[in-house]
Amino acid sequence: MRALAMVWVVSLLGTGCSLDRIILDGTLESNRKAASTFDTLSDLEVAKLAAASSLVQLEGMQRLAPDNEDGLYLLTNGWASYGSAFIEDDWEQAFDRGDDDAEAAAAKRAREAYERAVRFGTMLFEQKKPGFVAATRNYDSIKAYLSTWEKRDAEPLLWLGAAWLSRVGVASDDSALVCELFVGVALIERSVELDPSLSYAIGVTILGAYHARAPDAELGEAKALFEKAIAMTGRKSLTSQVMMAQNYACMAHDEPLYRALLTEVLAAPDQILPEQRLENVIAKRKAQRYLGAPRLARCGFSTK
Amino acid sequence: MKGSLMILAPLLLSSLVFAAEPTTLKVGSLAPRESPWGNVLRVWVKAVKEKTKGEVVLELYWNATQGDEAAQMSKMKTGQLDGAIVTAVGLSVVDANVNVLQLPGVYGGWEKLDVVREHLRPRFEKSFQAAGFELAGWGDIGLDRFMSKGFAVKAPGDLKGKRPWVWREDPILPAVYAAAGVVPVPTSVPEALPELSTGNVNVMSISPLGSEQLQWSSRLDTMNTMVVAPNIGGMVLSKAKLDALKPEHRAIVLETAKVACKALTDRIRAEDAAAFERLKKRMTVVEPSAEELTAWKKLFKEARERLAKGTFTPEVMTDVEKLTRD
């Protein structure tokens, strides 16, 4: 099946005629419409293999149709999600094993995934509304630029913002990246302004994580945002609880809350939200890990 | 023969048990594990483990998991922590004179700071030891400069009517703003970004690296290139804990700590210089004229005179003034 798809892609490479382009555009549009079915998978291995394979194919298609907005969006979303769901999983496991080399290698891979997401997202933004790169000078300039974006743009704003912030998350020793964190924040803030419910309030959750980035950050704001996201999803999209534990409860040194949130996630029924099955499988996997000794110690909590 | 070996067995067993139980030194830091500071400190952890063959292990507590600087210094006193990597705020809990290394308008850069710090090092080491600490080394944070939003701070007069931020625990900058006739906005670090966002704070003296790390630079648009003061920190270890180590292990911990602090200083100074260059491209840059520099010198001198009245030991202030005189 995959071989057939590759043959199809290669055949398109050779032709360059407008009919092929129409088919390609249609395929990318269909892929975008159908992308949410991916979230219903429950087998992490299948999801990982499928995601990697899809990304390679999408990159091929994007090369053939570099200005296709669906393609650019799918690559932004795809690389951001792949980095977060799968490469960061390897990164966390390496940390828990105390394997510094593997941890550094996984962080590098994750950063590269997010770099790709940011690159495709930037291309998309420059194409839709030129001036994005120039607007990243400071918070006011990016806010002014983003003010003209509308509700239908909330998704690309969300995923470019998520990739932007995640890139800093895996490379926070790079001061040049940390310096530009505000761009990712502004992107997510605008997405949330336009549509806070998108992807089960993940934008609100990500903003919560940003405000809990350090013990001397805005922890009160972080708490309010996490609580809002959890309420919006009726406590069914478990990523919000996991991120609240990992970010807010850890930084606020609130061990009872940390344990309660993760225990709640582990106790949640597998089918609590079928449309978000994959996200919830990943959330449960993380919750298990975060209750392990290395993660507890990282937050300064008791490991006994 | 068999009987004598049996007698030795418990001893051997106890020594094995002893070898398997490393001595752990708990060290607190405000820095995240994944940060320029964290990178250097993690190498230090490895070095101590390797050089002591695993008999001494450093356990780093990142991200203020042991509380803020005052809490960490307090935990060192009670033996809950064996070390801390802190800014001048933490160091001044032990000896307030450390803040002379952050006096405004006397250093201009790292060179003079190095001269003064080396000169005062024996004095500080003595005062720290008297309080039960070893000052294992210094670690700088950056060179503070004025950054503002919506206006340029070229001369002291430009501060009039503005809302400058000061860290609540900082004893130095309030004296500068008092000399300038301006009322500062004192907050904790977490409160600063919201205050900047609402415009309740519109000017601050901060290092480029610090302003980037704390996300404050994104809310500011103008930078004066003049150095107000260096922003310093250091590594403190518990003397009692160090003295309880085997002498060779004590030496290893202190030697590697000094190397780590030197590496930290070099890295952070380079990072701050790179951040300065980055911000110059993002902000409107103000180069003060000779006349404006003279006005700043006058203001800083007045601030130092205020600080000399009670904040610092007079001899220390005299030493600094002498050593930094052009």
Side-chain angles (χ1 to χ4, degrees):
Chain A
M1 187 68 187
R2 188 168 168 232
L4 278 175
M6 289 306 287
V7 168
W8 176 71
V9 169
V10 170
S11 70
L12 284 177
L13 262 172
T15 58
C17 74
S18 59
L19 179 63
D20 293 335
R21 179 58 201 261
I22 291 165
I23 295 169
L24 193 55
D25 286 347
T27 307
L28 286 165
E29 189 186 352
S30 305
N31 274 344
R32 185 169 179 174
K33 282 178 183 161
S36 61
T37 54
F38 198 81
D39 297 330
T40 63
L41 295 175
S42 60
D43 188 320
L44 208 56
E45 286 307 307
V46 170
K48 188 176 181 177
L49 288 169
S53 170
S54 299
L55 282 169
V56 175
Q57 290 191 15
L58 277 171
E59 291 241 359
M61 290 190 221
Q62 193 276 330
R63 186 158 297 187
L64 296 171
D67 57 349
N68 183 291
E69 291 186 1
D70 289 322
L72 291 170
Y73 167 77
L74 285 167
L75 282 164
T76 307
N77 174 313
W79 278 114
S81 304
Y82 189 78
S84 162
F86 305 115
I87 309 180
E88 286 204 27
D89 193 61
D90 295 341
W91 184 48
E92 290 187 353
Q93 287 185 62
F95 169 83
D96 287 3
R97 291 196 306 273
D99 184 344
D100 289 352
D101 293 340
E103 186 191 340
K108 186 170 176 283
R109 282 179 55 221
R111 177 176 175 162
E112 283 165 2
Y114 296 131
E115 294 280 9
R116 289 189 94 82
V118 167
R119 184 159 64 82
F120 288 119
T122 301
M123 286 162 70
L124 175 62
F125 275 50
E126 285 294 349
Q127 188 172 305
K128 280 172 82 83
K129 288 185 198 286
F132 171 66
V133 175
T136 59
R137 189 177 163 91
N138 60 41
Y139 189 68
D140 284 349
S141 57
I142 190 71
K143 290 292 264 188
Y145 167 82
L146 294 174
S147 65
T148 59
W149 288 66
E150 295 160 19
K151 188 167 181 179
R152 64 171 184 271
D153 306 313
E155 274 193 311
L157 286 164
L158 174 66
W159 293 109
L160 178 56
W164 202 287
L165 295 182
S166 299
R167 181 175 58 163
V168 181
V170 294
S172 48
D173 56 343
D174 185 336
S175 303
L177 285 186
V178 174
C179 168
E180 292 189 331
L181 196 58
F182 70 92
V183 177
V185 177
L187 287 163
I188 304 270
E189 282 176 344
R190 183 64 181 146
S191 173
V192 166
E193 271 169 26
L194 296 169
D195 187 355
S197 65
L198 207 60
S199 292
Y200 298 90
I202 195 68
V204 181
T205 299
I206 293 172
L207 281 182
Y210 162 73
H211 286 292
R213 67 194 175 280
D216 54 8
E218 307 79 37
L219 293 183
E221 207 168 329
K223 185 169 186 269
L225 284 160
F226 279 123
E227 285 170 349
K228 182 180 172 187
I230 291 170
M232 282 173 74
T233 64
R235 309 194 80 87
K236 287 181 181 174
S237 180
L238 305 174
T239 302
S240 300
Q241 285 94 314
V242 170
M243 285 181 74
M244 185 175 187
Q246 181 200 10
N247 296 280
Y248 170 73
C250 182
M251 286 297 171
H253 312 313
D254 188 339
E255 188 172 348
L257 177 66
Y258 182 90
R259 288 181 184 276
L261 286 164
L262 297 176
T263 306
E264 175 192 341
V265 170
L266 289 176
D270 289 343
Q271 299 299 325
I272 191 170
L273 190 60
E275 311 90 284
Q276 275 291 85
R277 203 176 286 134
L278 182 60
E279 281 290 327
N280 280 347
V281 166
I282 293 168
K284 279 175 171 272
R285 184 178 165 90
K286 281 181 184 282
Q288 189 75 54
R289 179 179 301 145
Y290 294 166
L291 285 169
R295 295 280 151 183
L296 290 167
R298 191 182 163 100
C299 297
F301 298 152
S302 162
T303 54
K304 303 225 169 96
Chain B
M1 185 64 186
K2 193 182 172 189
S4 63
L5 278 177
M6 288 302 285
I7 290 166
L8 284 173
L11 280 176
L12 185 64
L13 191 65
S14 67
S15 69
L16 283 173
V17 169
F18 179 75
E21 285 288 331
T23 304
T24 302
L25 265 65
K26 297 176 176 179
V27 182
S29 170
L30 295 189
R33 180 176 177 272
E34 291 83 15
S35 66
W37 292 268
N39 280 359
V40 174
L41 294 170
R42 282 154 68 190
V43 175
W44 177 46
V45 172
K46 270 189 185 173
V48 168
K49 194 176 177 186
E50 277 173 24
K51 283 177 182 280
T52 63
K53 297 184 172 57
E55 288 187 47
V56 178
V57 173
L58 299 175
E59 208 167 280
L60 262 292
Y61 290 87
W62 309 101
N63 265 330
T65 46
Q66 293 294 321
D68 61 14
E69 295 198 0
Q72 288 184 28
M73 296 306 290
S74 165
K75 282 186 177 181
M76 280 187 70
K77 284 179 184 166
T78 58
Q80 291 167 276
L81 267 184
D82 306 312
I85 294 115
V86 290
T87 67
V89 167
L91 295 174
S92 61
V93 169
V94 182
D95 185 345
N97 283 308
V98 165
N99 280 313
V100 296
L101 301 173
Q102 302 193 135
L103 282 174
V106 290
Y107 296 107
W110 298 117
E111 218 169 285
K112 283 184 179 176
L113 172 76
D114 288 340
V115 171
V116 172
R117 197 152 61 181
E118 188 52 28
H119 176 81
L120 293 175
R121 186 171 54 85
R123 189 196 182 284
F124 286 136
E125 283 177 354
K126 213 171 147 186
S127 67
F128 274 70
Q129 281 168 0
F133 301 107
E134 280 289 347
L135 183 55
W138 302 97
D140 300 323
I141 293 160
L143 295 171
D144 289 354
R145 301 161 200 268
F146 282 116
M147 296 186 204
S148 51
K149 185 176 178 183
F151 60 95
V153 180
K154 291 181 187 167
D158 296 326
L159 290 169
K160 285 264 160 67
K162 302 300 188 294
R163 294 178 293 278
W165 174 81
V166 289
W167 189 2
R168 233 175 239 138
E169 283 86 357
D170 177 11
I172 305 283
L173 278 173
V176 173
Y177 294 125
V182 189
V183 181
V185 181
T187 78
S188 63
V189 172
E191 289 163 327
L193 187 62
E195 295 284 20
L196 263 176
S197 301
T198 59
N200 196 33
V201 163
N202 54 16
V203 57
M204 44 183 32
S205 171
I206 174 104
S207 73
L209 182 62
S211 73
E212 284 187 350
Q213 293 282 322
L214 294 161
Q215 299 302 302
W216 299 347
S217 61
S218 66
R219 272 40 171 206
L220 299 157
D221 56 23
T222 311
M223 175 170 63
N224 185 322
T225 57
M226 174 190 68
V227 172
V228 176
N231 203 322
I232 63 119
M235 184 192 290
V236 187
L237 296 170
S238 155
K239 196 171 175 308
K241 188 73 175 189
L242 281 171
D243 291 347
L245 296 174
K246 290 178 186 172
E248 62 271 31
H249 289 165
R250 186 184 192 281
I252 287 169
V253 171
L254 283 174
E255 277 163 24
T256 52
K258 281 193 196 322
V259 173
C261 286
K262 173 76 173 67
L264 207 52
T265 298
D266 292 346
R267 166 119 191 223
I268 298 305
R269 286 181 181 188
E271 292 262 4
D272 188 54
F276 180 51
E277 293 305 316
R278 275 194 296 274
L279 292 186
K280 282 204 303 201
K281 289 176 194 153
R282 287 180 180 273
M283 294 185 179
T284 303
V285 176
V286 175
E287 296 276 0
S289 65
E291 198 183 323
E292 285 158 355
L293 282 174
T294 305
W296 282 114
K297 273 188 180 176
K298 190 168 170 270
L299 176 85
F300 292 145
K301 190 168 185 293
E302 202 183 318
R304 293 198 300 274
E305 282 165 4
R306 284 169 187 259
L307 289 164
K309 291 173 190 159
T311 309
F312 304 119
T313 310
E315 312 87 86
V316 178
M317 282 293 281
T318 312
D319 274 4
V320 175
E321 297 283 355
K322 259 189 216 165
L323 288 162
T324 55
R325 202 166 289 151
D326 288 324

